[in-house]
Amino acid sequence: MQKSDPTEIPIRNDGKEKQLVKITNHLARQNVSLCWQCLTCSGGCPFADHMDLLPNQVIRLVQLGQVKEAIKCKTIWICVGCHTCSTNCPNSIDIGAIMDALRQLAIRYGVAIPEKDIFRFHKYIFGSIQRSGRLNKLEAMIQFKLGTGRVFSDIKSGIKMLNRGKLELIPQKIKDTGELDRILTHYDKRRRSFKAHE
Amino acid sequence: MSEINLAYYPGCTLSSTAKEIDIALHQVCNTLDIRLTELPDWNCCGSSSIHAIRPQLAVSLAARNLFQAQSLGQDLLVMCAGCSNRLRVASNRLSNDSTTRRVNQEILNNQLDKDLKVHHLLDLLPKRLNQKPWADALEKKLNGLSYVPYYGCLLASPPELNNYPKLYGSMESVMNRLGAEQRAWGYHAKCCGSFLSIARPDIVEPMVADIMNNAFMAGAECIVTACAMCQLNLELRSKANKQVPIFSIVELLAYGMGSSDWQNWFSKHLIDPLPLFENKRLN
Ligand code: SF4
Ligand code: SF4
């Protein structure tokens, strides 16, 4: 698998670097300067083959203040937050949390998201929880498949699951939706939500 | 000996996709005198997706569940690796981080009095099964069955959860009591692919094939998991020519305790385990 070489990413400085590093650290509750680039994280990441930057390279970009570059990569979307890396990091850095922070920044700055299917998937799951407070897998899966335009790509496994009673036709719903609404409104007010991508 | 009283959070997977694990879990807890009270109005913990795009919101979703457990006055039992991570992180932050406390107090009008413990069945089991009278609850019903344990993310957690016990060896100790034989392999903590199983099956299929293949090569007749999500991903994404059945540790426990409706659960599996059971004459 061809990796892009972060040394080829031109260092661009516009005076905002330090602030962006601070924001990333704050959102992730981490301190990227603790990373000594030992590569343990990348060595153990089960998805490294499918990433364009290795996890340690993403962190390196943040260290260098190149957050605006880091938020463009596929890696932050491929990362599933499995914590294989942070369990082994000698400096106890929560790498997954840094990916979370960069993902948020990518959405907020409206950069082009290279893994559209993954982002769309997250949005449908979000929608399902938004509507009923619980996740209805059937609903989310159907919407996702319609959205990708590859309706029949996974139909066999879908039918298998339906037959074994693994997908519910009638969505469950929580009773006190007032609390749920309060949670959702609170966070909607505080950020520019997904609008940049819709 | 004393009962344990716990609030119970089923989560979306155990209340739909993996109903059978929920049923088996209740039987197991009943036998072990662990009394479960389901949270009256639980909501989804946010799953990996909400956490991925809106992590702070995910904490509030988890908080709503924790507050319900608090008003029941009990610690929480969770069976799903993802949910337990989400709820543990939220519990940690609600008790130790002033901003998280303040924001959630504002939204939900409640706060966590002390660090609410979030248990996974596996951190209670080994100890419970070592004590009388529960030690006799298990029969060696799986004599001669070879297996590999698969923990997935359960063995990994973010550094902020380091105060929680690691679960290494807990499934093995249970399986040992059931008479099953462990095979050595190196995949016990390998990720199952999580949400990429739906969003990018092209990535997950080879990974799952690799896991299955190694279970095969290790000489295992089945894989034992502790997470319903892992179980589903392994079943759904593996190719038919090389498959071994996947069991949840809870199902096997309930079976070992003499539960009678195990055929109902096993028939819900996507990879049919009944031939294996018949072969081994395990019933
Ligand atoms: S394992 Fe930790 S210290 Fe090593 S490169 Fe990764 S983040 Fe940096
Ligand atoms: S948390 Fe992300 S970066 Fe770390 S091992 Fe898992 S997928 Fe890789």
Side-chain angles (χ1 to χ4, degrees), chain A residues 41 44-48 51 55 75 78-86 94-96 99 103, chain B residues 191:
Chain A
C41 48
C45 176
F47 301 96
M51 293 172 165
T75 301
I78 299 277
C79 168
V80 301
C82 65
H83 301 300
T84 311
C85 50
S86 41
D94 190 344
I95 296 118
M99 303 287 185
R103 226 176 281 124
Chain B
C191 176

Side-chain angles (χ1 to χ4, degrees), chain A residues 94 100 103-104 115 122 126 133-135 137 154 157 164 166 172 174-176 179 182 187-188, chain B residues 12-13 15 17 20 40-42 44 49-52 54 56 60 64 107 158 200 236-237 268-269:
Chain A
D94 190 344
D100 294 341
R103 226 176 281 124
Q104 275 184 289
E115 288 288 340
H122 291 325
F126 183 67
R134 292 192 189 166
L135 174 56
K137 293 196 175 122
D154 231 3
S157 25
R164 305 282 157 97
K166 287 200 175 286
Q172 303 181 4
I174 60 168
K175 293 173 221 144
D176 187 354
E179 276 182 346
R182 283 214 299 282
Y187 290 97
D188 264 340
Chain B
C12 300
T13 308
S15 78
T17 328
E20 67 274 17
D41 190 28
W42 58 270
C44 174
S49 286
I50 310 296
H51 173 77
R54 306 178 74 170
Q56 292 87 353
S60 293
R64 186 175 172 272
I107 309 174
R200 287 288 303 273
L236 200 59
R237 292 295 163 217
K268 288 198 169 221
H269 287 208

Side-chain angles (χ1 to χ4, degrees), chain B residues 93-133:
Chain B
R93 294 202 189 153
L94 284 170
S95 37
N96 303 323
D97 180 76
S98 57
T99 320
T100 314
R101 268 181 97 82
R102 182 175 45 76
V103 170
N104 285 285
Q105 160 92 39
E106 235 169 72
I107 309 174
L108 293 169
N109 233 331
N110 208 337
Q111 52 180 314
L112 222 53
D113 299 331
K114 62 171 185 32
D115 199 357
L116 190 92
K117 280 264 166 306
V118 179
H119 292 289
H120 189 279
L121 185 68
L122 284 183
D123 57 53
L124 302 173
L125 267 185
K127 195 167 159 214
R128 200 75 175 162
L129 288 174
N130 270 333
Q131 294 168 337
K132 293 256 164 206

Side-chain angles (χ1 to χ4, degrees), chain A residues 32 34-43 55-57 59-60 63 85-86 88-95 98:
Chain A
V32 287
L34 290 178
C35 168
W36 58 36
Q37 292 292 313
C38 70
L39 267 76
T40 306
C41 48
S42 304
N56 74 293
Q57 294 175 329
I59 293 178
R60 185 69 184 141
Q63 286 180 325
C85 50
S86 41
N88 294 317
C89 170
N91 296 316
S92 289
I93 298 171
D94 190 344
I95 296 118
I98 296 172

Side-chain angles (χ1 to χ4, degrees), chain A residues 6-98:
Chain A
T7 55
E8 280 173 8
I9 297 177
I11 301 274
R12 290 201 196 89
N13 290 331
D14 56 5
K16 297 244 172 73
E17 291 73 30
K18 278 200 182 135
Q19 198 194 346
L20 281 170
V21 177
K22 252 193 189 161
I23 294 177
T24 313
N25 277 337
H26 171 76
L27 287 174
R29 299 157 172 270
Q30 302 298 313
N31 178 1
V32 287
S33 62
L34 290 178
C35 168
W36 58 36
Q37 292 292 313
C38 70
L39 267 76
T40 306
C41 48
S42 304
C45 176
F47 301 96
D49 282 355
H50 305 276
M51 293 172 165
D52 51 356
L53 291 172
L54 292 169
N56 74 293
Q57 294 175 329
V58 174
I59 293 178
R60 185 69 184 141
L61 281 178
V62 179
Q63 286 180 325
L64 293 173
Q66 302 299 301
V67 174
K68 285 186 181 159
E69 286 302 323
I71 61 178
K72 290 186 201 156
C73 69
K74 289 186 187 175
T75 301
I76 56 174
W77 296 97
I78 299 277
C79 168
V80 301
C82 65
H83 301 300
T84 311
C85 50
S86 41
T87 312
N88 294 317
C89 170
N91 296 316
S92 289
I93 298 171
D94 190 344
I95 296 118
I98 296 172

Side-chain angles (χ1 to χ4, degrees), chain B residues 42-237:
Chain B
W42 58 270
N43 56 271
C44 174
C45 69
S47 164
S48 1
S49 286
I50 310 296
H51 173 77
I53 50 179
R54 306 178 74 170
Q56 292 87 353
L57 195 154
V59 170
S60 293
L61 285 177
R64 186 175 172 272
N65 296 313
L66 293 173
F67 291 147
Q68 289 179 30
Q70 172 165 283
S71 46
L72 289 175
Q74 288 164 355
D75 284 342
L76 196 55
L77 180 79
V78 187
M79 218 22 232
C80 166
C83 300
S84 77
N85 261 351
R86 294 276 80 77
L87 292 161
R88 283 173 176 180
V89 165
S91 167
N92 244 4
R93 294 202 189 153
L94 284 170
S95 37
N96 303 323
D97 180 76
S98 57
T99 320
T100 314
R101 268 181 97 82
R102 182 175 45 76
V103 170
N104 285 285
Q105 160 92 39
E106 235 169 72
I107 309 174
L108 293 169
N109 233 331
N110 208 337
Q111 52 180 314
L112 222 53
D113 299 331
K114 62 171 185 32
D115 199 357
L116 190 92
K117 280 264 166 306
V118 179
H119 292 289
H120 189 279
L121 185 68
L122 284 183
D123 57 53
L124 302 173
L125 267 185
K127 195 167 159 214
R128 200 75 175 162
L129 288 174
N130 270 333
Q131 294 168 337
K132 293 256 164 206
W134 305 291
D136 307 323
L138 278 188
E139 289 171 45
K140 289 208 180 302
K141 283 198 156 189
L142 298 181
N143 260 335
L145 182 75
S146 62
Y147 75 100
V148 281
Y150 180 74
Y151 290 87
C153 303
L154 268 176
L155 287 186
S157 55
E160 65 179 301
L161 295 184
N162 279 348
N163 53 341
Y164 275 93
K166 298 280 179 221
L167 302 172
Y168 292 99
S170 49
M171 284 205 282
E172 289 90 321
S173 82
V174 173
M175 290 301 282
N176 193 17
R177 281 173 181 276
L178 287 167
E181 292 162 20
Q182 187 195 346
R183 295 281 181 267
W185 76 331
Y187 283 69
H188 53 293
K190 187 105 182 168
C191 176
C192 72
S194 183
F195 59 79
L196 290 182
S197 167
I198 307 291
R200 287 288 303 273
D202 57 312
I203 295 182
V204 175
E205 264 165 20
M207 283 177 49
V208 168
D210 195 31
I211 294 173
M212 277 283 183
N213 202 9
N214 273 278
F216 236 77
M217 297 209 298
E221 291 162 313
C222 64
I223 300 178
V224 181
T225 75
C227 172
M229 169 94 176
C230 294
Q231 183 172 3
L232 183 65
N233 272 355
L234 292 185
E235 289 192 326
L236 200 59
R237 292 295 163 217

